[in-house]
Amino acid sequence: YRQSARCFEQVHKFELALKMLCRGGLYNEAALAVERFEEILRQNNHLFTKLPYSADQFRLEAAAMCLRENKLTEMMDSLSFLDPEDRLVFLKSNKCLSQAADLLKSQRREEEAALLMREHGKLQEAARLSNKKEFQAECLVAAARVSLLKESKGEEIDKEGIQGMLDEATRLFKIRKQNSSDLAEAMLLKGLLSKETNVLQKAFDIFVRENNSAGAVESLFCLLQKDVAALSIFERSLTCLEMLMQLVKALANPQNNAEKEMVKACYEFFGISPVNATYGRIPLYEGARILQLDFSLDLNEKQGSFYKCEIKPVRILLQKYLLLQLCDLADKIKSAGQSVPDICPKFICGLPCESPACQDHHRTLKQYEAKCSLEAKLYLTVLNGILLEAKRFCYKETFPEVERIEDILTGDPYASCTSLLNAFYPKHFHQWVISKNPRACWDVLGLVKKITFQSFRPVLREYISHCFEYSSVQKRRESTDLWMQAQQVYFLTCDYPKKIEDLLTKEEQAYDSERRKSGKGTDVQAKRRRPRIPKGKLGMLSTRSLHLCIFRLLVMSMKNFYEDSDPEQCIHNFYRFMNVLTRRCLDPLIPSMANTITVLEFQFILCCSVLMHFIRNLVVCLPRSFIALLHYWNFMFKLQVNPKKHKDAFSIINEYKPKDVPKTIYKMKKHLSYLVKVLCGVHTSDFNVLLDAFNDPDYTSSGEAERTVVLCVVMLINAKYLLDPRMEKVIRCNFREVENKLRKITQDHESKVPARLIDLVEQVNRAQSVKDVVSSLQELLSKRGDEYLHDCIWKWDHPFGPGSVRGIYFQSIHAERFTDEYQIKTDEIVLMLDEEHGSPEVAQYLEEKDDNLQDMAFELQKANLRRKWQCLLHVISVCNYLRKLWTQAISEATQPKTEVPSNFREAQTDETQCDICGVKFSRGSINYTDFCQEPECEETANRISENWEETENEEEIETSYSRECFETHIRLEEHIKKENAYNAYLIYFRGSVEPIMSKGRSMLHHLGEMATDHLTSKELSKVLYEKLQSSIDVIVHSIDSIYNQKTWILGQEILSQKIDLLQEIVNDADMRQKQTLCLTDGVEANQSAVDFEEGLEDGQENFDELRSRKKRKGGKKKRKH
C-alpha cells in the first residue's frame, strides 16, 4: 500500500494516495502525506485546491487504531500532534480516564479532571482532585452511597473508611452552609452505617426544615427500622406523612414555587436530573436511589455515564413507591395510636372488666395519661384525613395501592373522627383531671388549638358535611343531636359560631323557600287540596317575618354569655330552647341523654357561679368535676367568638353589673328550679330526664344514667340555698321511681348496672338528712374517679398573681353544716304542683309573641340582607375583574408574545417563596429570618406574632404570615435590586445565549445523523459531537449554578466566555459539515472512490476505515486503474 501510494503521489492523484495509505492502516503516514501534499499544492500555485481530508483526521484515526490494539503509548504519540481540546475529547469519548485526567492536570484544570472522574464513577479520586468543598462532599457522599448499596447486596465493605468519608463530607457541608439537604443525606448515610438513631433523627429534622419530603420519608423509615419506639412520636411521623402526600400530589401537578422546589428536591434525592419537561438523566456510577427501587424502569438508552429516562414513567414510579411508603407508615401509626392506653370504658362506668386482653387503665388517669390518650385520638384523626386525601388522589387503574388504603380505613372512613368526638364529649361523667384549671386545659386539650397538620380540620369538616348530606331533610331541620354534633365538630375546628350559623341559615332559607312554593297556587287549587307542609316543621320556630331553627336559640344563648357578657339573656334563650323541646317532645327533636345532661350541667354551674358572686357568703357544694366543667367550656369557647371581645366565664360574671341585683338573683334561682323541673318531668311526663335515664340498660352501662343521678343529687344537697323549696320533694319523689326502675333493670341486665349506682340511689332514698346524701355522693365520687365534694365560694383577688383566686374558690367540704333532717320519708312524699300544660297551639302563639324571638328574627333578616348585598358587590367586583382580564388578554393577544427561552431556568415569586431571592415565606423559616433584616420586615414579624397570640388558629396564622411576609418582601430594596438584575439577565439570555444554544443543539442532532461517506469522518464527527455536547453541558451547569446561587447580576459575566467558546465550536462543526457535504456532492470524486473501493475489495480483506456506508444501487463497473 505504501508503494501504491507513492505511485499515485507521483501522478498527483493525492486523494487516491491517501486512500491507499488508509487501506494499509498507515494513518500517521497519511497525516504526514497530507501536510506534504498541501505544501506541493501551495508550491504549484494551486491555492484554491483543497484536499478533502486534514492531518488531524488521520491522526485521530491512528489513535483510534492504536487504542483498539491496546498500544496506549503510540496512541498518545498520535494525539500529541492535536489540539489539547481535541485530544481531551478523544480520550473522554474512548474512556481513557487516567490519560484524560493527566492531560487536564498538566493544563492545571483539576476541577474538570475531578468532574470527569465523578462522571465515570471514580468518586474518591474526584474528591481528591477538586478544591471545591461542596463538590468534594458530594463525591464522598456518592461514594458512601455506592458502598452501602454493595453491602445491601451482601458484599464486604470498609465501614471505617466509609465512616471517615461521611465525617469529612459532613464537615465540608457545614463549612459551605448552602444546601442543608446534602448535609441531611450525609447524616442519613452515617446513621444507616452506624445505626445511631440520634443521627437519623437529626437527618430527618433537617429534611423537614428544608421541605425535602423524599429525604424525610427515607429518614423516618430508616429510623423506625432501628428504633420501633420512635413511632410513638406521632407528630414526627404524621409530619412526614403529610409531606409525603404533598409530594405525591406535587409530582402530578405542582401548584406553586414551594411545590416545584419540593419536586426538584425529590428528583435530586433519587438521583434524577431533568433535562427538560420530557426527559431526564440518571448517573450510572453514583448509586442513584431510583435504580434501587423494586420497580421495572426502562433504562436501555445510555448517554455517556448516564441513563436516559422519560420523566412521566419515572414520576408515576415515584408516586407508586411513595404511596406504598405511605401505606406502610400509616399502618404502623394506626397500630401505635390504637395501642395508646386509655381509661377502660367499663371501669369508668363502674362495671367489672372481664377481658384479659384489655390494655387500658383500670384506675383514674393521671393528667399526662389523659393527655396522651386524647392526643393519640387526635393524631389518628389526622391520619384519617391524610388517608382520605390519598384515596381521593388515587385511581385503581394506575395506583392499585388505593385498595390497601381502603383496608387501613376499615370500611368506615370517619371512624377516627367519631372516636375523637367521643373522647372530647363523652357520655359518662367529665374527668376533672383534664380541666382542673386553665393551665391543665392548655396542657391536655391545647393541641386541638395548636395543631398544624393541614388535614386535621378539613377531615372533621368533611365528616360533619357527610353527616348532613346523608341525613334526611326532616332530620337536618329537627334533630337536636345532629346540630349538637355539628357544634362539637366546629369547636374542634375553630369554626364556631360562623359555620354553624351558616348551616342554620341555609336550612332556614330552604324551609321558607319550600313553604312559599307550597303556598302558591290559584284559589281553586287551594280549595281542592290541602297545602303541603314542608318537612321539618317541628324544628322551626315561626315569627312574623321568617322561620328560625330551634337550635339557633341554644347558639344565641352561648353567644349571649361568651360574646355579649349577658348571663340573664343567656339563661332566657336557653329556657326558650329547652321549653320548645319539652313542649313538643317528639323524636328526633329530643336530644340524647348525654347531650341533654351536658347542657343542663353547664346551665347549673353557670347559675351557681352567678349566685355565688351576688349573694354574699353563699356556699355551694359542688363536685370537682363540675368546677372543671366550667374551665373546660371556657377553653372550648375561647377564641370561637371575636378574640378581642372574649373573656372567660369568671371574668364575665365578675364584670356583670345588672340594674336590679335582687331580680337577677330571683331569675337565676327560678332558672335552677326550671332545670329541676326539666330533669324530673314536671312540665310533661314524657320529658323526664331522670326517669328516662333508666328506661334503657345501655344508659346505665354507658355512664349516662349515673351522670344524670349525680346532677340531681348535687341539686338536692344545694336545694335549701338555690332552689324553690318544693323542688327538693320533686327530686326525692323521682328517686323513688328511679329505684324501682333500677331494680327491674338489675333483674334483667345485671351486668349492665354498676353497683356504685345502685348503692347511691338506695342510700339517697333511705337518707335521714342532707348530710347522709352528701356522704353517699362523696362515696360514689371517690369510687369513680378519686373525686371529692367541695364547699365553693366566690373570690376575686386584686391584684392577680401567684396563689390568688379569681372565680370559684373551693375547699374541703364541711359536712357538719348539713344538719337539716328530712321531715318526710321518700315513700311518703306527695306532689301537689300546679303546672300549666298548655297545648302546642298555645305554645306556638307564645313563641310568635316572644319579643326576643322577634328581635332575633329581625337581626337575622338584617344579616341575610347584608350578606346578599355583599354577594352582589362581590359579583360586581368579579365582573369588573373579569372585564379587566378580558381587556388585558385582548391587548396581550395583539402584542408579540415574549416567551421564556427553553434553556432558561425561570424564577418566579408567589406567596410560598421567592425564587429570585431564594426566600421561603413560611413560619419559622430560617432563610426568611436571615434575609429580612430591615425594620419594615421586623415590624411585620412583630405584628404577626401579636396576631398569633390572639387567634392561635394555625391555618389562618400560616396564611396570614405567608401573605404579609410576601407583601413585605417584594417591597424590600434588596428584592427590587435582584429582580432588576434577574430581568437584565433574562434579556441577555434571550438575545445572546438562547440562539447559540439552540443552534448548538441543532448541530448535535445533525452530527449524530451525519453520514460517514468519506475517510476519517467517523472519528472527526465523534470529536466534534463530544466537544459540542461538553460545551453545552458546561453552560447548562452554569445556568443551574446561577439559579441556585441567585447570582443574576453575574449571569452575563459567567456565561459570556462559555457562549463564545460554544459559538466557535458550532462554527467549526458547521464548516466541517459543509465541507463534507460539498465533497459528497462531487460526482466524479465520489464515483472514482467507489470504483476504486470495489476494485480493491476483490480478494482483499475488509477495511472498515475505507468502506463507504452508502451502498451503490447500480451494477459493478470496471476499474479504471
Side-chain angles (χ1 to χ4, degrees):
Y1 291 109
R2 190 178 287 111
Q3 295 299 329
S4 299
R6 288 176 183 170
C7 293
F8 284 125
E9 182 180 348
Q10 289 174 2
V11 295
H12 286 201
K13 297 292 185 178
F14 298 132
E15 188 176 346
L16 292 175
L18 293 172
K19 290 180 179 180
M20 291 304 299
L21 291 172
C22 289
R23 283 286 187 178
L26 305 170
Y27 293 110
N28 282 322
E29 292 186 23
L32 295 171
V34 168
E35 294 173 351
R36 190 168 61 253
F37 295 162
E38 287 178 347
E39 183 62 30
I40 292 171
L41 291 172
R42 195 161 43 251
Q43 289 175 0
N44 293 334
N45 294 324
H46 294 161
L47 300 176
F48 299 103
T49 303
K50 294 288 184 182
L51 290 172
Y53 312 110
S54 68
D56 289 352
Q57 289 173 281
F58 286 114
R59 289 193 172 99
L60 284 170
E61 293 293 338
M65 186 179 70
C66 293
L67 180 62
R68 286 194 295 271
E69 296 173 359
N70 203 25
K71 299 177 180 179
L72 300 182
T73 306
E74 290 83 350
M75 177 192 74
M76 295 305 295
D77 290 341
S78 298
L79 291 174
S80 63
F81 293 96
L82 299 177
D83 180 77
E85 287 299 324
D86 291 345
R87 253 187 288 172
L88 184 61
V89 170
F90 177 87
L91 292 171
K92 283 184 181 179
S93 62
N94 290 284
K95 297 184 180 179
C96 301
L97 303 182
S98 59
Q99 291 85 352
D102 291 340
L103 176 60
L104 287 168
K105 284 188 282 186
S106 67
Q107 296 181 332
R108 297 182 179 179
R109 295 161 64 181
E110 286 83 2
E111 295 303 328
E112 292 182 51
L115 188 60
L116 175 67
M117 290 292 127
R118 180 179 179 179
E119 286 178 357
H120 292 84
K122 309 291 184 181
L123 298 167
Q124 295 183 57
E125 189 174 348
R128 284 194 295 271
L129 285 170
S130 177
N131 292 318
K132 295 180 178 178
K133 290 180 173 56
E134 191 172 356
F135 183 87
Q136 290 175 339
E138 287 172 359
C139 291
L140 293 172
V141 168
R145 197 163 51 233
V146 171
S147 298
L148 288 173
L149 178 59
K150 290 179 181 177
E151 185 188 30
S152 67
K153 294 179 180 178
E155 299 181 25
E156 290 290 330
I157 59 171
D158 179 13
K159 291 191 176 182
E160 290 185 6
I162 298 170
Q163 185 69 42
M165 286 193 295
L166 290 171
D167 288 340
E168 178 64 13
T170 304
R171 185 185 69 82
L172 293 169
F173 279 132
K174 287 180 179 177
I175 292 172
R176 291 294 296 165
K177 294 181 181 178
Q178 280 191 349
N179 191 348
S180 296
S181 289
D182 290 333
L183 172 62
E185 185 176 7
M187 298 187 76
L188 169 61
L189 296 176
K190 279 178 68 176
L192 284 173
L193 188 67
S194 63
K195 297 180 173 57
E196 294 181 19
T197 55
N198 61 327
V199 178
L200 292 171
Q201 173 63 54
K202 289 177 183 177
F204 173 81
D205 292 340
I206 296 172
F207 277 128
V208 170
R209 190 169 66 242
E210 291 297 311
N211 202 26
N212 189 326
S213 303
V217 171
E218 196 72 21
S219 300
L220 182 60
F221 265 88
C222 295
L223 181 62
L224 295 180
Q225 287 174 358
K226 311 299 179 192
D227 182 15
V228 180
L231 194 63
S232 60
I233 305 176
F234 296 107
E235 187 167 9
R236 176 170 60 200
S237 304
L238 289 170
T239 297
C240 183
L241 263 193
E242 202 162 69
M243 290 177 68
L244 189 155
M245 197 58 229
Q246 288 175 357
L247 175 59
V248 169
K249 293 193 294 184
L251 281 167
N253 183 24
Q255 297 293 323
N256 51 48
N257 289 344
E259 291 187 356
K260 290 175 186 175
E261 194 71 23
M262 185 187 290
V263 172
K264 176 176 171 285
C266 173
Y267 285 149
E268 287 178 359
F269 184 78
F270 282 98
I272 305 158
S273 303
V275 176
N276 51 41
T278 308
Y279 292 99
R281 299 192 303 178
I282 301 171
L284 273 69
Y285 310 114
E286 295 190 15
R289 287 184 174 84
I290 188 72
L291 302 177
Q292 302 172 31
L293 303 185
D294 295 331
F295 292 92
S296 58
L297 187 62
D298 184 16
L299 295 173
N300 296 323
E301 188 177 351
K302 289 185 180 180
Q303 287 184 343
S305 57
F306 294 90
Y307 287 117
K308 183 180 179 182
C309 62
E310 288 187 42
I311 292 294
K312 185 176 180 180
V314 166
R315 173 173 55 79
I316 294 174
L317 185 151
L318 287 175
Q319 287 176 319
K320 286 185 176 183
Y321 172 74
L322 292 169
L323 285 171
L324 283 175
Q325 298 281 75
L326 183 143
C327 292
D328 290 341
L329 190 54
D331 224 347
K332 293 176 182 177
I333 293 172
K334 183 179 178 182
S335 299
Q338 291 176 340
S339 65
V340 174
D342 194 359
I343 191 166
C344 175
K346 285 188 174 290
F347 170 81
I348 199 170
C349 296
L351 299 171
C353 179
E354 299 173 353
S355 172
C358 181
Q359 299 295 321
D360 291 327
H361 297 293
H362 295 85
R363 55 173 173 77
T364 304
L365 293 183
K366 294 180 173 60
Q367 185 172 311
Y368 76 90
E369 291 171 336
K371 177 182 179 181
C372 290
S373 175
L374 282 172
E375 290 188 352
K377 290 177 172 58
L378 191 145
Y379 286 129
L380 286 174
T381 305
V382 174
L383 176 64
N384 203 148
I386 295 172
L387 289 172
L388 286 173
E389 189 177 9
K391 183 182 174 183
R392 283 192 295 269
F393 174 81
C394 299
Y395 41 94
K396 292 185 180 180
E397 293 76 10
T398 309
F399 300 107
E401 293 77 14
V402 69
E403 294 181 1
R404 195 169 164 198
I405 293 171
E406 291 171 350
D407 291 340
I408 299 171
L409 289 170
T410 61
D412 183 1
Y414 302 106
S416 297
C417 300
T418 307
S419 176
L420 180 70
L421 290 176
N422 290 337
F424 272 86
Y425 312 101
K427 293 180 179 180
H428 56 74
F429 68 94
H430 178 73
Q431 298 179 74
W432 65 272
V433 73
I434 291 175
S435 58
K436 59 184 178 182
N437 53 47
R439 185 172 182 177
C441 287
W442 282 107
D443 183 41
V444 179
L445 308 171
L447 184 61
V448 77
K449 302 286 185 183
K450 298 177 285 187
I451 192 166
T452 58
F453 295 108
Q454 295 177 3
S455 56
F456 173 65
R457 293 182 178 91
V459 72
L460 286 172
R461 292 171 188 143
E462 185 181 327
Y463 165 67
I464 198 62
S465 298
H466 173 83
C467 292
F468 269 79
E469 184 180 348
Y470 287 91
S471 297
S472 65
V473 174
Q474 181 179 1
K475 188 175 180 181
R476 286 203 303 269
R477 293 170 186 172
E478 294 181 355
S479 175
T480 305
D481 285 334
L482 183 62
W483 284 107
M484 292 194 81
Q485 190 178 23
Q487 184 184 49
Q488 292 167 356
V489 166
Y490 292 137
F491 279 145
L492 298 181
T493 60
C494 302
D495 292 323
Y496 185 88
K498 184 179 183 305
K499 289 282 186 182
I500 196 105
E501 288 179 351
D502 290 345
L503 271 178
L504 287 167
T505 301
K506 179 182 176 183
E507 291 301 327
E508 288 162 352
Q509 290 178 347
Y511 180 84
D512 277 331
S513 176
E514 290 176 21
R515 190 167 171 274
R516 284 194 297 270
K517 287 178 182 177
S518 65
K520 289 182 179 179
T522 62
D523 293 337
V524 177
Q525 290 175 332
K527 288 178 182 178
R528 288 179 180 174
R529 61 176 175 82
R530 294 176 62 187
R532 187 174 65 86
I533 299 173
K535 294 179 181 178
K537 180 183 178 182
L538 281 176
M540 295 293 168
L541 294 172
S542 177
T543 67
R544 287 187 291 268
S545 53
L546 47 80
H547 284 77
L548 299 178
C549 185
I550 291 172
F551 193 76
R552 189 178 285 280
L553 290 168
L554 182 61
V555 174
M556 286 303 298
S557 171
M558 306 314 291
K559 181 176 181 290
N560 293 146
F561 183 67
Y562 277 105
E563 190 169 348
D564 302 335
S565 302
D566 189 346
E568 289 186 65
Q569 191 62 37
C570 167
I571 64 171
H572 173 78
N573 276 321
F574 179 81
Y575 165 76
R576 296 292 299 110
F577 166 72
M578 188 56 70
N579 198 45
V580 174
L581 301 186
T582 55
R583 296 290 182 183
R584 297 186 179 181
C585 196
L586 290 171
D587 196 56
L589 208 58
I590 302 173
S592 68
M593 190 63 58
N595 285 333
T596 305
I597 295 301
T598 298
V599 294
L600 293 176
E601 282 175 339
F602 179 80
Q603 290 292 311
F604 174 73
I605 186 66
L606 173 62
C607 291
C608 287
S609 301
V610 174
L611 290 172
M612 281 189 283
H613 172 53
F614 287 113
I615 301 176
R616 186 180 296 276
N617 299 325
L618 174 64
V619 180
V620 180
C621 181
L622 296 173
R624 184 69 185 277
S625 59
F626 277 34
I627 304 168
L629 267 174
L630 206 51
H631 292 301
Y632 178 81
W633 288 114
N634 281 340
F635 174 81
M636 297 309 291
F637 276 97
K638 186 176 183 181
L639 308 174
Q640 304 292 346
V641 295
N642 189 336
K644 294 179 180 178
K645 294 182 179 180
H646 174 76
K647 298 172 185 175
D648 66 17
F650 300 124
S651 298
I652 292 169
I653 293 169
N654 189 67
E655 295 173 11
Y656 183 54
K657 306 296 181 187
K659 293 179 181 178
D660 189 344
V661 173
K663 186 177 179 180
T664 300
I665 293 172
Y666 169 76
K667 285 183 178 179
M668 292 296 159
K669 286 188 174 182
K670 185 178 180 182
H671 189 65
L672 285 172
S673 298
Y674 172 74
L675 298 181
V676 173
K677 293 175 183 178
V678 170
L679 274 166
C680 298
V682 173
H683 287 298
T684 171
S685 58
D686 293 333
F687 200 97
N688 188 319
V689 180
L690 181 58
L691 295 184
D692 290 343
F694 293 89
N695 283 339
D696 191 332
D698 289 339
Y699 290 153
T700 59
S701 62
S702 65
E704 292 167 276
E706 181 183 87
R707 187 175 178 183
T708 309
V709 166
V710 169
L711 176 60
C712 289
V713 173
V714 172
M715 289 179 166
L716 180 61
I717 61 181
N718 291 286
K720 180 180 178 181
Y721 309 103
L722 303 177
L723 303 177
D724 185 308
R726 297 175 298 172
M727 293 303 106
E728 182 183 290
K729 293 181 181 180
V730 170
I731 297 172
R732 292 180 65 199
C733 185
N734 272 267
F735 261 83
R736 184 175 61 201
E737 296 296 326
V738 166
E739 186 174 0
N740 294 333
K741 283 179 171 283
L742 195 56
R743 191 178 297 114
K744 185 177 179 182
I745 294 176
T746 306
Q747 291 173 355
D748 299 333
H749 306 279
E750 186 177 359
S751 62
K752 289 189 175 184
V753 182
R756 71 192 188 199
L757 178 60
I758 298 173
D759 292 343
L760 176 64
V761 173
E762 290 179 350
Q763 289 169 11
V764 168
N765 283 332
R766 288 156 183 72
Q768 300 297 317
S769 65
V770 179
K771 184 178 179 180
D772 294 338
V773 177
V774 170
S775 177
S776 302
L777 178 58
Q778 180 59 70
E779 184 181 345
L780 178 135
L781 293 176
S782 60
K783 284 180 181 178
R784 78 175 189 179
D786 292 338
E787 189 179 350
Y788 298 93
L789 281 170
H790 295 281
D791 281 343
C792 303
I793 61 172
W794 187 264
K795 189 177 181 182
W796 199 265
D797 291 335
H798 294 283
F800 188 65
S804 58
V805 178
R806 286 193 168 187
I808 295 177
Y809 175 71
F810 58 91
Q811 55 192 355
S812 299
I813 190 170
H814 296 283
E816 292 73 16
R817 69 186 181 87
F818 297 99
T819 57
D820 296 342
E821 292 188 1
Y822 294 131
Q823 301 298 321
I824 305 174
K825 293 182 179 180
T826 304
D827 296 338
E828 299 173 357
I829 295 174
V830 178
L831 291 179
M832 298 292 292
L833 296 174
D834 297 326
E835 283 293 326
E836 295 180 4
H837 298 275
S839 65
E841 291 77 11
V842 174
Q844 183 174 353
Y845 173 75
L846 292 173
E847 289 164 9
E848 292 172 355
K849 296 293 287 183
D850 191 320
D851 292 336
N852 288 315
L853 200 62
Q854 302 300 335
D855 292 342
M856 194 187 303
F858 179 68
E859 290 296 326
L860 188 61
Q861 270 189 315
K862 288 201 300 184
N864 289 340
L865 187 61
R866 193 183 306 114
R867 190 181 294 110
K868 288 178 181 178
W869 272 108
Q870 288 173 347
C871 289
L872 180 61
L873 292 173
H874 180 68
V875 169
I876 293 170
S877 63
V878 168
C879 290
N880 289 332
Y881 177 71
L882 291 174
R883 184 173 57 80
K884 288 179 182 178
L885 279 182
W886 177 253
T887 307
Q888 186 178 353
I890 293 174
S891 62
E892 288 177 357
T894 57
Q895 296 175 359
K897 292 184 179 179
T898 55
E899 294 181 355
V900 176
S902 60
N903 295 295
F904 184 77
R905 281 200 66 177
E906 187 178 8
Q908 298 176 336
T909 301
D910 61 19
E911 290 189 2
T912 60
Q913 66 185 48
C914 172
D915 289 342
I916 294 176
C917 302
V919 174
K920 296 178 181 178
F921 308 125
S922 59
R923 172 158 292 282
S925 174
I926 295 173
N927 294 342
Y928 184 75
T929 306
D930 291 343
F931 184 82
C932 296
Q933 296 295 336
E934 301 210 2
E936 185 179 1
C937 195
E938 290 178 6
E939 289 173 9
T940 300
N942 291 336
R943 187 164 64 254
I944 294 298
S945 179
E946 290 170 8
N947 194 26
W948 167 260
E949 294 287 337
E950 287 179 355
T951 64
E952 299 180 17
N953 186 333
E954 279 287 347
E955 291 178 32
E956 295 177 5
I957 290 302
E958 187 65 35
T959 304
S960 173
Y961 186 87
S962 298
R963 183 170 59 252
E964 293 208 30
C965 285
F966 164 72
E967 292 172 355
T968 304
H969 172 77
I970 60 176
R971 293 195 298 269
L972 292 176
E973 184 179 351
E974 185 67 22
H975 170 79
I976 295 169
K977 283 182 181 178
K978 285 202 172 187
E979 188 175 27
N980 293 336
Y982 169 80
N983 291 330
Y985 167 65
L986 174 58
I987 293 169
Y988 161 74
F989 195 99
R990 185 182 285 118
S992 302
V993 179
E994 180 67 17
I996 298 173
M997 287 194 71
S998 298
K999 191 173 180 182
R1001 293 189 188 279
S1002 176
M1003 184 60 67
L1004 272 179
H1005 179 71
H1006 288 306
L1007 285 173
E1009 295 181 348
M1010 192 168 70
T1012 54
D1013 289 326
H1014 295 85
L1015 298 176
T1016 71
S1017 60
K1018 181 178 178 182
E1019 289 299 328
L1020 179 64
S1021 297
K1022 280 173 62 178
V1023 168
L1024 288 173
Y1025 185 92
E1026 293 296 335
K1027 282 176 71 175
L1028 194 54
Q1029 182 68 63
S1030 177
S1031 181
I1032 291 174
D1033 288 345
V1034 168
I1035 293 172
V1036 169
H1037 178 74
S1038 298
I1039 293 169
D1040 290 341
S1041 178
I1042 291 167
Y1043 178 88
N1044 293 332
Q1045 298 176 16
K1046 315 301 177 188
T1047 52
W1048 316 114
I1049 198 167
L1050 300 175
Q1052 183 172 351
E1053 181 183 338
I1054 293 169
L1055 292 179
S1056 57
Q1057 189 174 355
K1058 297 178 176 64
I1059 285 295
D1060 292 341
L1061 180 60
L1062 177 62
Q1063 182 69 65
E1064 291 177 11
I1065 297 171
V1066 169
N1067 292 340
D1068 184 37
D1070 191 36
M1071 181 191 71
R1072 297 283 186 182
Q1073 189 180 19
K1074 287 178 180 177
Q1075 188 179 35
T1076 303
L1077 290 173
C1078 289
L1079 289 169
T1080 303
D1081 293 338
V1083 179
E1084 262 186 65
N1086 190 43
Q1087 186 65 42
S1088 175
V1090 171
D1091 291 343
F1092 182 76
E1093 285 184 36
E1094 290 173 350
L1096 288 175
E1097 280 174 357
D1098 296 336
Q1100 301 293 334
E1101 60 181 332
N1102 187 15
F1103 293 92
D1104 290 338
E1105 289 80 0
L1106 293 176
R1107 178 173 296 281
S1108 174
R1109 290 191 181 180
K1110 287 187 178 179
K1111 294 183 178 180
R1112 186 167 60 86
K1113 293 182 181 179
K1116 285 189 178 181
K1117 294 187 179 180
K1118 295 181 180 180
R1119 287 188 299 169
K1120 293 184 179 179
H1121 304 287

